[in-house]
């Protein structure tokens, strides 16, 4: 195999890869051996016709495509290894020459890793995030816990109120005519949930159990059923059953049910405060990292080729497909459920792909600028953590990683150091106070102050 590299604009390159005529002949013969059993030739049983006869009947190119598909992966991998440029995208393959007795030549258009010119990366400014926990936040968290431990009781002696669960029969009419999909029976509706079109649930407030109530609403202009969009409708509804959630009292009995650490309400409130503080601190740390890296990216210069972004987009979608698969859902099913196509999904993840690439590139540039390295001890510690995560011995982890995996782990360790460096050197600033909106007497009167 021989390789020629031609650099193109926008950090792209064209690799011209040549495979010997002998290897091509071997691949063509391999394609013949694989495909001959499905080719019919008069006078011969399937699989028994000579190659030359098949080529005479169907054209000598009959085995070319399979031969090329057999040669390209290994030839490209070899070229990838030999290329001194850093390739950062999947290849776009084009066949240049494919003819028996001649070298097989194809090109692979690829993206090259772009150079990064760092701007300011020490002392970037980030907004200081308040991590104090307020009484309102504590109360809200406790109320959510009470909500989770609530019980549902039947109501028989009053009308519908906000927050109730009403079991209803309903039928909708537009211009006095019932419309398709507008009828339901024994439907459980939480009043105030926003599950139905705007105004529907509010109109049910005050309805009596067992009595028919008319609900007058107007479908939104952007309603999914075009024939109903913007139309006024009347729903005839009957509340068949009414229930409400009853939250447990905030007392020591409740604390004993939901906490293993606290005995009294005050102790439980302190436990919740510490939990919320820990969560807010973790969120603040993550937000500071993200803001600091974004500031470094904003002040850096780089020309990212579209092919590099496209490869990252496809990687994100592939990772998501694997997560879905682990839940028993195929990507095809997911697309049916959501109405998405591969193209729309790729477009949706493009900003995420670009952000990942920019962040990685600037952090690699920080690693280089600060001469950061990972030690053997750090590598061993990381392998140990990986082994614990996968329930595997460290030596087995190293074996599976191989040399390329080891290099990737070392790079990732350096990237973490770059993140820590940028964050530690970032300067936190309190957010600017928002204007109160209060006008002076002169402004309020329309004149000059």
């Amino acid at each position: 195999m021989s390789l020629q590299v031609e650099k193109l604009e926008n950090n792209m390159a064209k690799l011209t890869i040549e495979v010997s005529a002998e290897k091509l002949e071997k691949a063509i013969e391999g394609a013949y051996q694989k495909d001959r059993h499905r080719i019919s030739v008069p006078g011969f049983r399937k699989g028994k016709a000579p190659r030359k006869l098949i080529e005479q009947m169907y054209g000598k190119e009959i085995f070319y495509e399979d031969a090329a598909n057999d040669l390209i992966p290994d030839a490209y991998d070899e070229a990838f290894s030999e290329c001194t440029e850093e390739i950062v995208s999947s290849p776009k393959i084009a066949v240049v020459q494919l003819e028996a007795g001649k070298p097989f030549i194809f090109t692979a258009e690829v993206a090259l890793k772009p150079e990064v010119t760092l701007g300011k990366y020490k002392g970037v400014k980030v907004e200081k995030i308040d991590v104090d926990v307020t009484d309102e936040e504590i109360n809200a968290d406790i109320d959510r816990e009470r909500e989770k431990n609530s019980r549902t009781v039947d109501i028989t002696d009053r009308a519908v109120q906000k927050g109730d669960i009403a079991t209803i029969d309903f039928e909708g009419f537009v211009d006095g005519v019932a419309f398709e999909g507008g009828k339901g029976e024994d439907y459980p509706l939480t009043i105030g949930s926003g599950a139905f079109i705007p105004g529907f649930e509010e109109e049910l407030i005050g309805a009596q159990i067992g009595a028919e109530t008319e609900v007058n609403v107007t479908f939104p202009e952007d309603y999914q059923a075009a024939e109903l969009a913007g139309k006024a409708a009347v729903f005839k509804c009957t509340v068949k059953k009414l229930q409400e959630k009853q939250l447990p009292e905030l007392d020591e009995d409740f604390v004993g049910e939901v906490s293993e650490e606290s005995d009294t309400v005050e102790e439980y409130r302190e436990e919740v405060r510490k939990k919320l503080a820990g969560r807010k601190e973790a969120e603040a740390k993550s937000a500071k990292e993200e803001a600091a890296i974004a500031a470094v990216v904003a002040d850096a210069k780089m020309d990212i080729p579209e092919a590099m972004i496209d490869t990252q987009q496809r990687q994100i979608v592939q990772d998501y497909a694997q997560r879905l698969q682990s839940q028993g859902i195929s990507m095809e099913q997911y697309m049916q459920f959501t109405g998405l196509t591969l193209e729309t999904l790729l477009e949706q993840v493009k900003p995420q792909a670009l952000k990942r690439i920019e962040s990685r590139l600037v952090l690699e540039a920080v690693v280089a600028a600060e001469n950061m390295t990972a030690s053997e001890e750090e590598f061993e510690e990381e392998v140990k953590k990986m082994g614990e995560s996968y329930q595997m011995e460290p030596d087995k982890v190293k074996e599976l990683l191989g040399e390329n995996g080891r290099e990737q782990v070392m790079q990732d360790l350096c990237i973490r150091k770059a993140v820590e460096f940028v964050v530690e050197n970032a300067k936190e600033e309190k957010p600017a106070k928002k204007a109160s909106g209060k006008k002076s007497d002169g402004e309020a009167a329309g004149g000059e102050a």
Side-chain angles (χ1 to χ4, degrees):
M1 188 219 72
S2 66
L3 169 66
Q4 292 181 344
V5 180
E6 177 189 356
K7 287 192 176 182
L8 308 174
E9 293 181 344
N10 301 319
N11 289 310
M12 297 295 292
K14 183 167 73 173
L15 314 183
T16 301
I17 302 163
E18 183 176 313
V19 181
S20 69
E22 290 76 17
K23 284 190 176 181
L24 174 59
E25 172 56 32
K26 186 176 179 181
I28 293 173
E29 178 64 22
Y32 158 69
Q33 296 293 339
K34 184 182 72 174
D35 296 340
R36 63 180 181 170
H37 299 285
R38 61 179 179 81
I39 299 174
S40 298
V41 175
F44 292 89
R45 284 181 297 151
K46 280 190 176 181
K48 297 299 182 180
R51 174 181 149 190
K52 286 187 178 180
L53 186 58
I54 294 174
E55 290 174 338
Q56 284 176 359
M57 287 193 62
Y58 294 96
K60 62 180 181 179
E61 300 87 1
I62 185 171
F63 301 118
Y64 283 4
E65 184 176 349
D66 282 350
N69 289 338
D70 180 56
L71 288 171
I72 287 172
D74 288 342
Y76 175 75
D77 286 347
E78 188 177 345
F80 182 92
S81 299
E82 285 187 14
C83 185
T84 56
E85 302 291 339
E86 190 167 353
I87 297 171
V88 291
S89 76
S90 300
K92 184 178 179 181
I93 302 294
V95 173
V96 176
Q97 178 174 283
L98 177 53
E99 185 178 345
K102 295 182 180 180
F104 171 46
I105 303 172
F106 67 97
T107 61
E109 192 170 309
V110 294
L112 303 180
K113 181 179 175 180
E115 290 185 9
V116 176
T117 304
L118 284 174
K120 185 175 184 178
Y121 66 93
K122 298 178 186 177
V124 295
K125 295 178 182 179
V126 296
E127 184 177 300
K128 185 176 178 61
I129 298 173
D130 183 12
V131 294
D132 291 337
V133 178
T134 65
D135 287 342
E136 289 77 9
E137 290 170 326
I138 294 171
N139 292 338
D141 191 84
I142 292 174
D143 285 345
R144 282 191 290 270
E145 193 64 38
R146 292 173 66 204
E147 180 78 22
K148 286 194 295 184
N149 288 271
S150 64
R151 64 191 184 101
T152 303
V153 297
D154 292 337
I155 301 297
T156 59
D157 58 353
R158 64 168 174 79
V160 175
Q161 296 178 359
K162 186 176 180 180
D164 287 344
I165 303 168
T167 301
I168 62 173
D169 289 348
F170 61 89
E171 185 171 15
F173 301 83
V174 172
D175 297 329
V177 180
F179 56 85
E180 186 177 353
K183 187 175 182 179
E185 295 181 350
D186 295 325
Y187 189 95
L189 176 64
T190 300
I191 307 301
S193 65
F196 273 29
I197 59 176
F200 187 100
E201 294 164 30
E202 289 79 2
E203 288 264 319
L204 278 178
I205 293 175
Q208 297 293 332
I209 301 171
E212 185 178 277
T213 301
E214 284 195 355
V215 172
N216 294 276
V217 293
T218 300
F219 284 97
E221 293 292 342
D222 59 352
Y223 192 66
Q224 57 186 1
E227 67 276 11
L228 297 175
K231 297 285 184 67
V234 175
F235 283 86
K236 294 182 178 179
C237 305
T238 302
V239 178
K240 298 173 70 175
K241 183 179 179 182
L242 194 62
Q243 297 174 301
E244 70 173 4
K245 283 185 178 180
Q246 289 187 351
L247 275 60
E249 291 294 325
L250 179 55
D251 54 22
E252 291 184 359
D253 289 337
F254 170 74
V255 171
E257 288 289 329
V258 300
S259 173
E260 296 180 356
E261 302 175 20
S262 305
D263 295 317
T264 68
V265 173
E266 282 307 310
E267 287 175 351
Y268 179 57
R269 287 183 65 85
E270 180 60 19
E271 178 187 335
V272 171
R273 188 197 68 75
K274 288 180 179 178
K275 178 190 73 174
L276 292 176
R279 184 187 305 163
K280 291 182 81 170
E281 286 167 5
E283 290 172 352
K285 180 183 176 183
S286 179
K288 183 179 178 181
E289 281 186 6
E290 189 169 335
I293 294 170
V296 178
V297 168
D299 208 32
K301 293 180 181 178
M302 62 194 107
D303 182 13
I304 301 174
E306 278 296 322
M308 185 180 186
I309 301 172
D310 179 75
T311 298
Q312 185 64 241
Q313 288 171 263
R314 294 182 185 278
Q315 184 61 57
I316 291 171
V317 171
Q318 184 179 333
D319 291 345
Y320 186 58
Q322 289 176 348
R323 290 198 298 274
L324 287 174
Q325 194 66 50
S326 68
Q327 300 169 25
I329 303 171
S330 69
M331 181 56 81
E332 290 73 20
Q333 290 172 321
Y334 174 75
M335 289 182 178
Q336 285 180 339
F337 298 154
T338 61
L340 293 171
T341 63
L342 178 59
E343 289 70 26
T344 54
L345 194 55
L346 287 168
E347 192 59 32
Q348 282 184 4
V349 303
K350 188 171 184 177
Q352 181 185 352
L354 180 59
K355 183 179 178 180
R356 279 192 187 182
I357 293 169
E358 289 175 334
S359 299
R360 181 80 184 194
L361 288 174
V362 297
L363 289 170
E364 287 177 354
V366 171
V367 168
E370 294 295 321
N371 296 313
M372 294 176 177
T373 58
S375 68
E376 191 63 32
E377 290 76 15
E378 289 168 326
F379 173 74
E380 292 292 339
E381 183 62 29
E382 187 65 17
V383 166
K384 183 180 176 183
K385 290 177 183 176
M386 293 170 70
E388 291 171 353
S389 176
Y390 295 109
Q391 297 182 334
M392 196 180 294
E393 290 298 318
D395 287 344
K396 185 63 177 177
V397 174
K398 291 179 188 177
E399 180 185 333
L400 292 174
L401 283 172
E403 193 55 41
N404 289 337
R406 173 190 168 85
E407 185 178 338
Q408 185 62 55
V409 170
M410 297 295 268
Q411 288 176 359
D412 290 344
L413 287 169
C414 289
I415 291 295
R416 284 187 216 166
K417 291 185 179 185
V419 172
E420 291 169 3
F421 179 87
V422 169
V423 172
E424 286 171 3
N425 284 276
K427 294 179 180 178
E428 288 185 310
E429 294 185 337
K430 290 183 179 180
K433 290 185 178 180
K434 294 181 180 179
S436 65
K438 185 177 180 181
K439 296 182 180 181
S440 66
D441 292 341
E443 289 174 317
E448 294 182 357

